Amino acid sequence: MPFIPHTDEDIRRMLAEVGVDSINSLFDEVPSDLIDPGLPGIPEGVSEMEITREMNERAASDMLGPCFLGAGAYRHHVPAAVWEITTRGEYYSAYTPYQAEASQGTLQLIYEYQSMMSGLMGMDASNASLYDGGSALAEAVLMAVRANRKSKSGRILVPDTVNPMYCDATRTIVGNQGITLETVASNAETGAVDVETLEQWEGEDIAALVIQQPNWFGRLEEAQALTDWAQRNGALVIAVVNPTAMAVLTPPGEWGENGADIACGEGQPLGIPLSSGGPYFGFMCCRKAHVRQMPGRIVGRTVDLEGRTGYTLTLQAREQHIRRNKATSNICTNQGLMVTAATIYLSLLGAEGLERVAGHCHANTRKLTERLAGIKGVSLRFDGPYFHERVVELDRPAEPVFQQLASQGILAGYPLGRHDKRLSNALLVCATETVTDADIDRFADALSHALAKAA
Amino acid sequence: MPFIPHTDEDIRRMLAEVGVDSINSLFDEVPSDLIDPGLPGIPEGVSEMEITREMNERAASDMLGPCFLGAGAYRHHVPAAVWEITTRGEYYSAYTPYQAEASQGTLQLIYEYQSMMSGLMGMDASNASLYDGGSALAEAVLMAVRANRKSKSGRILVPDTVNPMYCDATRTIVGNQGITLETVASNAETGAVDVETLEQWEGEDIAALVIQQPNWFGRLEEAQALTDWAQRNGALVIAVVNPTAMAVLTPPGEWGENGADIACGEGQPLGIPLSSGGPYFGFMCCRKAHVRQMPGRIVGRTVDLEGRTGYTLTLQAREQHIRRNKATSNICTNQGLMVTAATIYLSLLGAEGLERVAGHCHANTRKLTERLAGIKGVSLRFDGPYFHERVVELDRPAEPVFQQLASQGILAGYPLGRHDKRLSNALLVCATETVTDADIDRFADALSHALAKAA
Amino acid sequence: MSQESLIFDLGRSGRYARAQAPAEHADLADIPAEFRRKQRAVMPEVSELQVVRHYTRLSQKNFSIDTNFYPLGSCTMKYNPRACNSLAMLPGFLDRHPHAPDSTGQGFLGCLYNLQEMLAEVTGMKTVSLAPMAGAQGEFAGVAMIRAYHDARGDDGRTEIIVPDAAHGTNPATAVMCGYKVREIPTAADGDVDMAALQEAVGPQTAGIMLTNPSTVGVFERRIQEIATLVHEAGGLLYYDGANLNAILGKVRPGDMGFDVIHINLHKTFSTPHGGGGPGAGAIGVGERLLPHTPIPQVGEDNGQYYWRTEKDIPQTIGRLSAFGGNAGVLLRAYVYARMLGREGMTRVAEYSTLNANYLMTRLKAEGFQVWLPERRASHEFIISLKGEAKELGVTAGDFAKRLLDLGYHAPTAYFPLLVPECLLIEPTETETVDDLDGFVQAMVTIREEARHDKEFVKGAPYNMPVRRLDEVKAAKELDLKWQGEAS
Amino acid sequence: MSQESLIFDLGRSGRYARAQAPAEHADLADIPAEFRRKQRAVMPEVSELQVVRHYTRLSQKNFSIDTNFYPLGSCTMKYNPRACNSLAMLPGFLDRHPHAPDSTGQGFLGCLYNLQEMLAEVTGMKTVSLAPMAGAQGEFAGVAMIRAYHDARGDDGRTEIIVPDAAHGTNPATAVMCGYKVREIPTAADGDVDMAALQEAVGPQTAGIMLTNPSTVGVFERRIQEIATLVHEAGGLLYYDGANLNAILGKVRPGDMGFDVIHINLHKTFSTPHGGGGPGAGAIGVGERLLPHTPIPQVGEDNGQYYWRTEKDIPQTIGRLSAFGGNAGVLLRAYVYARMLGREGMTRVAEYSTLNANYLMTRLKAEGFQVWLPERRASHEFIISLKGEAKELGVTAGDFAKRLLDLGYHAPTAYFPLLVPECLLIEPTETETVDDLDGFVQAMVTIREEARHDKEFVKGAPYNMPVRRLDEVKAAKELDLKWQGEAS
Ligand SMILES: Cc1ncc(COP(=O)(O)O)c(C=O)c1O
Ligand SMILES: Cc1ncc(COP(=O)(O)O)c(C=O)c1O
């Protein structure tokens, strides 16, 4: 019985106090034909020593190597301090800070997180996390539909330059509430949305326009003009952004004349390990006017009985545990520990450090793609400004090349044909600050080699 | 300037306050020909990201595999909780607990450690660590010479069954103080000391006898009889013991009629990773009568101004910071964090768990050596009871076989010929609780294979 | 404990942790100015030591399982084994990119596959998907599958989900997110569902029912088989809210009770940490009827090779719930935990969490506290109502809760479920010792004594926490949600 | 903060952390009964959660760099970068057996080799050995080498080691361990060594001199070159106690000053943690004269392969100091730190630790505190004497120290060096911000104010710690060194 502290003597004493003669008697209200399934499929328990050995072997079997894959998750340097502090028992093993007086550590940290995220996004307010970037977009769509009181249509414009996995998740989540996502086609030459394309919706009842910056192809959208168009047409603007990029790019709060209404995205780049896809966290910020429509926990600063500063969950009347079927969302448990890590990460980097990291991501991607473009059989696709991802086009289907390079320990980018047949020769590549010149050489050499053979 | 928080503005303000115009002026008392050596041999600083990559690569290059090596350091399972707690900043980054009121965490923990170690050894008192097992023996010898007021000779009897590295370290450390170590030859058949051998010293002025249990060859010494002989002859008894073994073997406090006087040894088996040899910790326990001769920190329980229980360093008048050239030892910084780990380890295991671990070490070693003995060209050497190490004799020099198996990822034991030419065909092998049947198979197969070829 | 400045107030313009960023700025000139940020973001400007010190100190202001008994009902605050953390954080697991090919993640995928299998066995369901990121997302997936099931059959008159009044808030909120109306039914005086009300509520408009069993009032729903038959016969499906699975782990299986879909809060029953709010994992178990609609991705196995199953494999899936495959790191922790428990260990979780709850309930009852449903067995949790104390002594459940903090105990869940006045929902879990339970009883008795002598004293609690009671009204009215640059 | 029971008092007979031990007992019957333990050892009998909770809670009762400003003179309590810890604890490093062949430890040995090289460069010495496990063991090795040197030359009339009165206690204690008599010389009024006294002390009986420079009174010994010549001409050698190397790192090299051997406290200057008492590492740098006597083992390099050098390579070595090769894990931490600093970073350690000390000294002086040696530059530390306060207000250095704890500052080193009455030796280190220094000044001023108003209040401090002042006399007289089975 690992983790159960009871001695035989304890058990005797406890049963006597309860007035039963066996533990099984405690289950006497359960219909007896349901009791004790036996569980032949569950193996015997093992000691910590044994599982440690197993996990070490399993972890060792998972390949590591240079990583040019992004497509929604990015390998960044995570300072050691981040997780050494985040996994302290007081953060790691605490519950949601409902008892404010006994949770000032987590609460103040979240307040600081909200301040940093608001600052990075140039927005008025932030919540304290959603599940991930994909589901955050879904929540943003639901929120926009609630917040846009003038719109009754439930129509959301979503460019085809938005991460397709985000669109899938959003469709799953909002699909049952009469909301429709309408696709905005991007310019096939530039890989970004032309404002002119939106003119077909001019004057229509649109609840919101989604703008991803940098977009799925790594390209920078004309966020200013798109935002102005949407707001002129009564639509809210939902920004989906990469937080690292926001150290150097115009933040959503400054898009167009009034700024985006909601900013959301994937928080993983802020100190969260890749970890095969999770746990990450979705972030969400908004303008003051919309804060009561925002889902998720929000912490406010206030004072205690003696006038001292303190922090507490606030605006709980938005949430399911108070408002039940009228809540802004069903979210309860969020990704709090990831927010803890991100807060420590952002504190360590500061605006200065994050700007340097972002700068090196961009510069490394430039270096990488210039190098790749020099390889026979490789060309760059989609012209125009980018942040830290770009599309390279091969002279043959990308998927087999991707698999081949992976078997050599190189993650060669994301094969875009998985979502769009027209792009089946394309790889979306990324080089963060962790990539060295030697890594780039290794990739370029392996790719040249792979393409040297006839397709 | 990593880790230096000063901004340019801070520096200006601080220099102005001090009344100098540059930092260099702060060094104006240093002879100018000594200033600024330039340091061409020190490389440029690197970021945490860069050193992380380097260290990951270096660590990966250090081979892991089944380990049948002991000889003073043992691979045991270390519960995850041990180091997750030990590396908490409050333990990790604190100083020696001189300010008792601000160090009750460390102080209470040490008091608990002292209690556990005393219990395990069956002794009256424990200090809060020495550097390692080898230097602990040196300190024990110095202590015995001080404590044995009746003896003036400085003669110490050391059987050749004591770890030779411990003897080397002891010679280095006590060699300048007129102390001599005299070797007691063990029985070449049994690999243990016969009490009769000691008769040649009967009636002589001997300060102390050292007894290692289990001894260097893994064999159990007749500790009872040896202790009685020594004490009858006016010598103190210094026990050098393996703490894991003490869960199942007679502890030094119960040796002979009166128990050993001093018990010391290597604390590494108690939750400390192998880590290429350190940091480990030396432990030392003694009888009440000798406690004022014991080197190192000691914590006592007392009360505060309000009568509440509290803990503090005590008997500091033994130590160098008070007694200077009259101190019991020059030791100052010890191995405190390792004691923290060992305390958590012992708390998790308890007497019950430690007994199970010890039992499996013994049983695995039995299984291993019976298996090896079945291989052509291998025989067992030294007959008699053992704990978790045994000597196996090959039909050829052991050192090349050891190197060959190491290149296959197997640490095949310790080649005893390194210290005694007569044992150059012998390997000291060990199988702790971490060894699986599959590991034993792998070792046995590799060894059979190696010995199948003509020597 | 002294107050801790905001991290912003510790900063100085130009300071940052220099070891953590590249030594030089990179050239960004090729990004046109109109895309570039004009002003630096408001961020802390602090040194690495300042960060470490600040967040270490802040952490000490939290209660947590690692520091306090935490009998928070419905939340299963039990020991989070440290090995689960350290093994899930092995570099091989942490550094793997989610889009890396399956061939390079066999270690990780194998763990998930085995976890799916174990969860299917222990819940009695046909298959398990680990995609949902928390209980509420598991609920969403489950109810969405119920909807997909009816839709697939063209059975489109089903507009209602039945939810007991004791249900957790996520249940009705989820039903609404799936486009359903919520039909609430009362709890009977004996703690079970009011069968008459249920009979009346069930009908052709019923898409399904969401139940927790044991329910959130802490007792086992004795007529569960009857309920299952009733709902199934009406064409509805049964959703099991697995937040309370700890009470029956290895003893009783939701699949055997007749449920069609369930979610498991791995951050409760499988002891992954709550992390001050998350992340969790809301794995769902799927029965025969809903198999075709299982969310993606899910781990499959083929000839010893593990791979991600996608819409290609499950064409009628409700789809994906997030960008990637779920909270992988949380799942690894649950896997390690499940393996350490093994078959026997799982059963014992139910046994000892139940023993602890019944013991604590008996002791509190003996001390004169009013147990709700005193005639019933407690499951892994139970309710006391402080209505009597509130009336006689003027001291509420909330007051008890705050004063418990002073005495070193995290407060139980207060005022939930909504139907019991002045309630505390108490869940001691199996990992606490009998001495800690006794200590808690003593604390409750002490507080009642204190209230008898000086009610205002109790109402003023806590006293020993970093702050006294907070002004929540001010917090909600004068919204202060971020640092605005002033010194605090 | 509530009192924490002893771990023993939390236990119950038969309890232990079951995940941590084999499920079955093994058969020990082949070990004869006379060798077997009769009675189980007295040990805690607790669950894993109890252990985690107990030691987590205890930890919170400590001050540490990670939680508090810690200006402990002579101890260099600066930030211990967390990366040094996490990288030294990579599994490849942790699991390597010390007797494993060099060929399987090239990663580890390479780090040590590079560390030796960097330390040799930064100290100006010929070679470095990493074997000593702390400063005091480094001192031992150094003085033992001095002895070996004289012995090797048959120069056996040298019986004395000269040690200034300001020296750390380990210096005289070490000299005695090496079989020498200690000759103490006074510090002159200007803080430097009293040259006349030194001249008188030096002679044919002089084996060597042990100096700290900057000295423990916090100033640079200006006549160091003169001293070196004097001692060398008399046939003695110079030992450099490197505990204060932080003050001159990269700025001045002991080798250039004329020292023959030095130890470096890596747990000070190279920021490895103090761990509540250790482990440290006392690497020694060796000059030309002592090269043949370097302790073993030491890492060598041959054609890109690293290996352990033993007595075969250094036949005149003083020998080994421990069973293995030194505190390897500490050395890895120092290596990571040194690499992050690099050439420039090292120099800046000296510059900013000196700036911080001089700033703090200036500020305290301005507030009216009596700086010892006010005419001198502070090195990385300095002394204030509270003799005046003791006389006028009746409040001692020790009282200030205790009251500082209440205000959140670890006390500076008090009553060391012995020659300055009522002294506090203050070392702020380079990793603290100017705001923290200002805060410390403010605290000192506050305490003096408090003492003016109510001396007893200050003498009663601390008030906000887990305990008030402890009865040290009782502790030493009624020795209570272990739990005896009673409830505490
Ligand atoms: C009964 C019950 N159902 C559902 C949930 C929701 O789970 P989660 O918080 O993981 O979304 C909870 C947990 O808070 C719960 O207690
Ligand atoms: C000046 C001085 N010398 C020597 C030492 C001894 O070093 P260690 O404690 O590492 O043995 C110290 C540290 O306490 C010191 O401050």
Side-chain angles (χ1 to χ4, degrees), chain A residues 37-43, chain C residues 121 253 343:
Chain A
L39 308 179
I42 309 273
Chain C
E121 171 91 2
R253 308 195 304 172
R343 190 187 320 127

Side-chain angles (χ1 to χ4, degrees), chain A residues 47-78:
Chain A
S47 68
E48 187 184 301
M49 179 181 85
E50 293 164 297
I51 191 71
T52 299
R53 188 172 173 129
E54 177 188 321
M55 295 303 277
N56 276 318
E57 283 165 7
R58 285 188 187 262
S61 83
D62 287 358
M63 182 214 68
L64 304 178
C67 175
F68 299 94
L69 247 179
Y74 302 91
R75 181 179 285 174
H76 289 289
H77 169 63
V78 180

Side-chain angles (χ1 to χ4, degrees), chain B residues 95 332-333, chain D residues 74 134-136 139 168 170 216 241 243 263 265 267-268:
Chain B
Y95 200 73
C332 176
T333 291
Chain D
S74 205
E139 291 178 32
H168 193 262
T170 48
T216 61
D241 174 341
H263 88 259
N265 279 4
H267 45 305
K268 295 179 180 178

